[in-house]
Amino acid sequence: MKVHLMLTCLADTFFGRVGTATVRVLEHAGFEVEFPPRQTCCGQPAYNSGDSRTAIDMASHTIKVFESAEVVVTPSGSCAAMVTHGYQRLGAPMLPPVYELTAFLDKFASNTIWSGFKEPKQIALHESCHGRAVGAGAAHQRVLSTVPNLTILPLAEPEQCCGFGGTFSTDRPLTSQLIGLRKLECLTTTGAKTVVSGDLGCLMHLDGLARREGVSLEFLHVSEVLSSAI
Amino acid sequence: MNRFEAFVEQLPQAARQSVSGACRRVSDARAVTLAEVFEDLDAARGQAAATKDVVLSDLESYVERFAKKCSDNGATVFRAKDAAEANTVISTLCARHSAPGDVIVKAKSMVSEEIGLNEHLASEGYNVVETDLGEFVIQLDHDTPSHIVAPIIHKDRYDVARTFHKNGLGPYSDSPEILAEQARSYLRNKFQQAAIGISGVNFGIVDSGRLVIVENEGNNRLSTTAPNVHIAVMGIEKLLPSDSDVPLFLKLLVGSATGQRAPVYTHFVSRPRVAGEVDGPSHVYIVLLDNGRSRVANGPYRSVLRCVRCGACMNVCPVYRQSSGHAYAEVYSGPIGAVLNPALKGPEAAGDIAKNSTLCGMCEVVCPVMIPIPDLLVQAREDLAKVSPGLKATSGLAVVGRKLWLWNLVRRFATFAFWFPNPWTERKEAPRRDKEDFRAWWSTHRHRAGSRPATATQARTERPSEPGPARGTDALWSMFNDRLVQLGGKIATWADVEELPDRSWCVESSLELPMLFDAASPWKATTGFVVGAVAVAETGSVLLRHGSKSRRLASLAPPHCVVVIPEGQIVETLAEGLANLGENAVLVTGPSRTADIEGILVKGVHGPKELWIVRSS
Ligand code: SF4
């Protein structure tokens, strides 16, 4: 099966390693990957702040970019939710099915073999909120549980948001910070040194907070964990 | 800094901790109870949503039918198009049945907060007393509720202790039990003095013209039983088509609100007192408030009117947990408030309240009537954007995002944006750009890409659900017993009753007790005896029907209540228990209780502290 990669604007702009890891993981699981270069941003920042005109413009652009795709995979629960649910609500549905990375692996490649880690690795998993809407959180759990020598430590208040919320983090920066600090507290309490999530928005926010607070935690995208377990 | 953030900044850490701690506890209790109560919670939520939508899609005709049925039952119905009209109707009624200066007892009602009823009645000279423990504290403090279910969620026991002490309710104590006791004894007299009781309504049943009111403390029952006049105020969206909808909504409402299986008291009001009844109000007035609801029912926000005001969306909301309800500066706060205010008032008047959300979606996940709150928040933001002049912060995206050369330029220099003062770097470190650029990597990689098929398979298991066995009477009583004990009540025998030391009893006239007792007024009696119609095993509840021989206060005013139930009168489900409600009735589920102070459970506030059930053969 050939999949079209929707990189996401955050990976495109800041976190190239996540794009690379995603391609490696998909290829390891037996898929051929295509990257349509004209892709940019799905329009979610505009959509969430109520700027539906811009959101529709970006939706039409994105739909055109992925016109010929059979299936679209993206390393983000948030973007997957936007191009499925959000586009639907804007009256601009995307035709090819769109999956978050692990939800896709879980559905079409649950038999993938991972060599795992040489040393036992313990992580705390932050399931992103928008990922929940597209089944990503549960899929992270299932896919990561097939990786040898990897343990997901139990996390308190797993359903709670990290406080990023896209434009919320600049509209309500203090509240966003307070929510994030609470999340960091729960993550630190697990005892894990590594925090894994399927959304770069959450990771970028939590990592920024942790560095400012002097909390030493490593933040990895789920694709990076999987690609180092190939 | 905007108003919301300014409030959050000055919020004392203790208040923040009270709020988030209570929210966490209630959210956990909610999850546990609903999972136990419903085999398929989502199906139940879907059914509830669909039931509400039936009403909301034809609201006016349901309201008319409901009003007609209520008048046929003997209640007097008024329709008010806005707050001013509702207030006028109510103060006219108050003038008819009492005089300025008189005490009016009031049970908790969000809609009365919405219309500013207390302020209005106070301006007319009435002495309105809030009787719900939390609302009572709010009134003493001249504060406003910060949560639709738990009004003093932002206060701790020490705050309440100081308030009670300052107001002379008793010697200083910070024990929640003693504080509840102080409120109880202070408010006792008020119930007896008041000529009028005002309450809200949880559900209005269209087919039967019945009001359903739920509560835990007993103050609502007292407010609507002891005075001679009951004024019920309700939003027109509170309607349900028929009595058979009540069990589902009851379970969803209280399970979501507090994690209980049933509220302590579910009060069914369908008519004023009839000849032969000893107590209960002779006049029942129902004020149906529109205040924008009809318009909302015909627009994009219709589903927000499904709301049953359980507060689950607030409890689970990360923003609410850090900010408390007062930050929203509206009567309805939290996620529901962030949608309801713009829906009812329009985008200009409601301001940017809809921005107080990360759109995490947990509100929608927990909402018992499946209101798509995040979508409605986006809708409200869109409506606000339409009326706000000027360029949107995100409009540049449409230019940059559609020209690859521009996009690449912006990507390259994105980190520069963080060099200037901005809300991000004020509180956290800027993101670090990876050295590895994906597009660069891809251009070399794609020529080398190959596929490797995977091999191993993995089995997946799903939990089968077990069907429950059919239960006989004894099994039902044992299930009932388990629930009742959990609630703090007990199954007693006549021997237990004989051993009660104090025999100042108040007994319903239909009950012939096999032993001697000293008859006392319900306000003086230590124990009240009543006959129950049916026991419900799944919730540990008993249904009391108010017929011509009943004495409602007997089950309410004395600190100890004994309900006698014929042995065979037990059913398993709430639906069976409520199948035959009769006219006025109350479903009692355990002793009176409150968790208003720090979420700590205190037994026996306004209603009885002890609840005994006697099976009689
Ligand atoms: S919106 Fe839903 S969760 Fe929130 S109070 Fe209303 S019914 Fe409860």
Side-chain angles (χ1 to χ4, degrees), chain A residues 90-134:
Chain A
L90 287 172
M94 174 111 149
L95 286 181
V98 182
Y99 293 94
E100 180 278 333
L101 173 66
T102 58
F104 177 77
L105 293 174
D106 186 43
K107 183 154 180 188
F108 297 103
S110 60
N111 49 11
T112 305
I113 291 176
W114 307 98
S115 13
F117 295 91
K118 284 198 193 71
E119 300 291 320
K121 190 171 179 68
Q122 296 188 319
I123 59 163
L125 180 65
H126 167 61
E127 298 176 12
S128 86
C129 300
H130 291 174
R132 183 169 46 230
V134 291

Side-chain angles (χ1 to χ4, degrees), chain B residues 148 306-314 336 363 366-369 371 373:
Chain B
I148 60 177
R306 293 177 196 157
C307 176
V308 295
R309 308 279 189 265
C310 70
C313 56
M314 312 164 99
I336 178 60
C363 44
V366 299
C367 177
V369 284
I371 301 175
I373 297 176

Side-chain angles (χ1 to χ4, degrees), chain B residues 50-66 79 206 236-237 239 241 293-294 296-298 302 305:
Chain B
T51 306
K52 277 304 240 187
D53 284 350
V54 169
V55 175
L56 295 171
S57 61
D58 192 12
L59 189 54
E60 181 53 30
S61 88
Y62 276 93
V63 176
E64 274 172 22
R65 275 166 52 202
F66 175 69
R79 293 191 61 176
V206 175
I236 51 171
E237 84 284 14
L239 300 182
R293 289 162 171 79
S294 299
V296 173
N298 292 315
R302 176 191 285 171
L305 296 179

Side-chain angles (χ1 to χ4, degrees), chain B residues 73-76 269-274 277 280-284 552 584:
Chain B
N73 290 349
T76 311
V269 181
S270 62
R271 53 153 178 76
R273 187 205 298 190
V274 292
E277 265 186 295
S282 318
H283 303 274
V284 174
R552 299 186 207 178
N584 290 341

Side-chain angles (χ1 to χ4, degrees), chain B residues 348-363:
Chain B
E348 274 126 339
D352 69 352
I353 192 170
K355 295 215 165 145
N356 301 326
S357 166
T358 66
L359 299 180
C360 78
M362 273 312 287
C363 44

Side-chain angles (χ1 to χ4, degrees), chain B residues 220-381:
Chain B
N220 199 316
R221 277 187 77 203
L222 281 165
S223 303
T224 58
T225 303
N228 197 38
V229 176
H230 173 195
I231 303 174
V233 204
M234 62 188 282
I236 51 171
E237 84 284 14
K238 294 266 160 178
L239 300 182
L240 293 178
S242 91
D243 283 342
S244 59
D245 298 316
V246 174
L248 171 68
F249 276 86
L250 259 190
K251 289 185 199 172
L252 281 173
L253 169 59
V254 290
S256 306
T258 60
Q260 289 166 273
R261 287 169 170 256
V264 175
Y265 301 113
T266 311
H267 196 183
F268 298 93
V269 181
S270 62
R271 53 153 178 76
R273 187 205 298 190
V274 292
E277 265 186 295
V278 202
D279 51 15
S282 318
H283 303 274
V284 174
Y285 297 106
I286 301 169
V287 181
L288 292 166
L289 176 74
D290 192 311
N291 215 20
R293 289 162 171 79
S294 299
R295 191 174 35 75
V296 173
N298 292 315
Y301 296 97
R302 176 191 285 171
S303 60
V304 79
L305 296 179
R306 293 177 196 157
C307 176
V308 295
R309 308 279 189 265
C310 70
C313 56
M314 312 164 99
N315 297 335
V316 82
C317 176
V319 175
Y320 182 91
R321 286 184 181 187
Q322 297 298 333
S323 61
S324 94
H326 285 158
Y328 298 75
E330 291 283 356
V331 168
Y332 301 107
S333 61
I336 178 60
V339 173
L340 193 58
N341 288 294
L344 287 173
K345 301 178 180 173
E348 274 126 339
D352 69 352
I353 192 170
K355 295 215 165 145
N356 301 326
S357 166
T358 66
L359 299 180
C360 78
M362 273 312 287
C363 44
E364 182 176 5
V365 170
V366 299
C367 177
V369 284
M370 286 186 165
I371 301 175
I373 297 176
D375 277 1
L376 296 179
L377 286 166
V378 171
Q379 173 83 43
R381 292 175 183 189

Side-chain angles (χ1 to χ4, degrees), chain A residues 12 37 48 111 172 175 212, chain B residues 2 5 356 411 429 439 456:
Chain A
D12 200 0
N48 284 355
N111 49 11
R172 302 287 185 264
T175 314
R212 177 67 56 93
Chain B
N2 61 55
E5 292 259 293
N356 301 326
R411 287 192 317 116
E429 298 301 315
R439 288 179 192 255

